[in-house]
Amino acid sequence: MAKIGKLSPFKKTSPYKADMSTKAGNRSRVKSRPPQKPRPENPLIVLFNKPFDVLCQFTDEAGRQTLKDFIPVADVYAAGRLDRDSEGLLLLTNDGQLQAKLTHPAKKTFKTYWVQVEGEPSIDTINALCNGVELKDGMTLPAKVSLMDSPAVWPRDPPVRERKAIPTSWLEVQICEGRNRQVRRMTAHVGHPTLRLIRYKIGQWCLDDLPNGEYKLINTPK
């Protein structure tokens, strides 16, 4: 426990004044927030089916594959990230308002993942994921989790390492949070490590039949 130093006999503190200054500071911080960015003249959305082992950025000093190797569209930025070892839908846009809406925690935009896990999760395990699990950074919000058939998706390169003695299962996981590697940590917490993770949907946008490594450009009305 931290030690509390003695107050100087020559200085008196006023809790009332401290509270007032704090409130004033809070008001000044609220007033100093930058104004919302205007929408661009030509709002764009890029839907990209990100392959495994591609970085979710446009540059890399180590020479690894990035978005620049696949998307020749200028001035678009990812609305949320997708880990290098994850695949599937990435949404990029030049619309700052849309980007903020999709990534702000208060907006609770749901993302849908197809997750191949090791083993066969029980109903109790799935219910635990639905109700929320305790991770190192706190409880997760309730999720929508269900068993699903193996999806008809592209082969991963390199293939997933599976153990012959242990079966695998596919889960559909819907969450509205954006913690670092959250889905992987959730399944590992309940004893079913993630082997492959594909993001299928963000809000109203989904992969549909978009091939892996390809992108689709959408012009949105202003």
Side-chain angles (χ1 to χ4, degrees):
M1 179 180 295
K3 295 182 178 179
I4 302 176
K6 295 183 179 179
L7 294 175
S8 169
F10 303 104
K11 294 183 180 180
K12 295 183 179 181
T13 60
S14 169
Y16 176 76
K17 290 183 178 180
D19 288 344
M20 290 297 292
S21 64
T22 301
K23 291 177 181 178
N26 289 338
R27 286 197 299 269
S28 65
R29 284 195 291 271
V30 171
K31 291 180 181 179
S32 64
R33 288 176 182 172
Q36 194 174 44
K37 293 181 180 179
R39 296 193 68 193
E41 289 296 325
N42 184 29
L44 299 175
I45 291 176
V46 176
L47 302 182
F48 177 52
N49 188 343
K50 189 187 86 68
F52 178 82
D53 205 30
V54 172
L55 293 174
C56 188
Q57 57 198 49
F58 280 93
T59 59
D60 180 58
E61 295 180 355
R64 294 169 294 185
Q65 279 193 311
T66 68
L67 302 179
K68 187 177 181 180
D69 297 305
F70 299 88
I71 305 174
V73 182
D75 300 323
V76 292
Y77 303 92
R81 298 184 63 81
L82 195 58
D83 295 326
R84 180 182 175 187
D85 54 354
S86 298
E87 309 159 70
L89 184 62
L90 183 68
L91 188 151
L92 303 95
T93 182
N94 63 346
D95 186 345
Q97 291 185 26
L98 175 60
Q99 186 182 39
K101 179 180 178 181
L102 293 176
T103 56
H104 197 287
K107 299 298 182 180
K108 289 185 166 57
T109 300
F110 271 90
K111 282 92 59 180
T112 300
Y113 298 87
W114 293 344
V115 190
Q116 185 182 17
V117 299
E118 193 174 82
E120 298 177 332
S122 66
I123 297 300
D124 289 341
T125 297
I126 292 175
N127 287 338
L129 292 172
C130 291
N131 294 329
V133 294
E134 181 76 33
L135 303 179
K136 289 184 177 180
D137 51 358
M139 285 288 295
T140 61
L141 293 177
K144 301 175 184 178
V145 184
S146 60
L147 284 167
M148 62 178 289
D149 294 331
S150 299
V153 293
W154 57 93
R156 205 190 77 170
D157 183 21
V160 171
R161 291 184 179 179
E162 299 182 24
R163 293 190 281 181
K164 292 182 179 180
I166 301 178
T168 68
S169 306
W170 282 88
L171 299 174
E172 181 180 87
V173 179
Q174 298 181 51
I175 60 173
C176 61
E177 297 180 277
R179 303 189 200 182
N180 184 44
R181 300 180 72 80
Q182 180 174 339
V183 173
R184 294 179 184 275
R185 291 192 290 144
M186 288 171 63
T187 66
H189 181 84
V190 295
H192 296 278
T194 291
L195 302 174
R196 187 178 185 187
L197 189 147
I198 299 171
R199 186 159 64 194
Y200 174 70
K201 190 174 183 180
I202 302 172
Q204 69 189 68
W205 296 277
C206 63
L207 281 178
D208 288 329
D209 298 322
L210 185 63
N212 191 230
E214 300 292 330
Y215 73 92
K216 178 167 62 176
L217 185 61
I218 302 173
N219 291 85
T220 63
K222 186 174 180 182

